[in-house]
Amino acid sequence: MQRRFLLLSDVAEILNISPAQAYALVRSGELPAIKIGGRGQWRVETEALERYIRDAYEKTREFVATHPFGGSDDDE
């Protein structure tokens, strides 16, 4: 059975980013999350992360369509 909620460390591992970057995504509101418990630990719903990834693919497709290869400093 798949877990419903992920720790920020799980999110960071899945996206191959640092935990600080995962925290920044949550704090900016770009990645929906909830704070739970007395210590206010962040949790990201698995479906919210999947939706974020789908949206990132769509934004990337739009970027690629409007910025031909070699035509932008943002290319890496």
Side-chain angles (χ1 to χ4, degrees):
M1 184 170 119
Q2 186 177 5
R3 294 183 297 170
R4 181 172 179 180
F5 291 98
L6 302 168
L7 303 169
L8 288 185
S9 59
D10 298 328
V11 171
E13 184 176 334
I14 291 166
L15 295 177
N16 197 27
I17 60 176
S18 72
Q21 289 171 308
Y23 178 74
L25 287 173
V26 165
R27 288 291 290 148
S28 71
E30 190 172 345
L31 177 59
I34 59 172
K35 280 182 81 168
I36 60 168
R39 295 172 50 185
Q41 296 185 14
W42 290 99
R43 296 294 184 269
V44 176
E45 196 163 9
T46 302
E47 181 52 38
L49 179 58
E50 291 301 321
R51 198 169 35 253
Y52 172 81
I53 293 168
R54 283 191 303 270
D55 291 347
Y57 272 113
E58 182 57 34
K59 288 176 186 175
T60 301
R61 276 191 291 276
E62 291 170 7
F63 176 84
V64 169
T66 58
H67 298 84
F69 182 68
S72 172
D73 291 337
D74 291 334
D75 293 339
E76 288 191 25

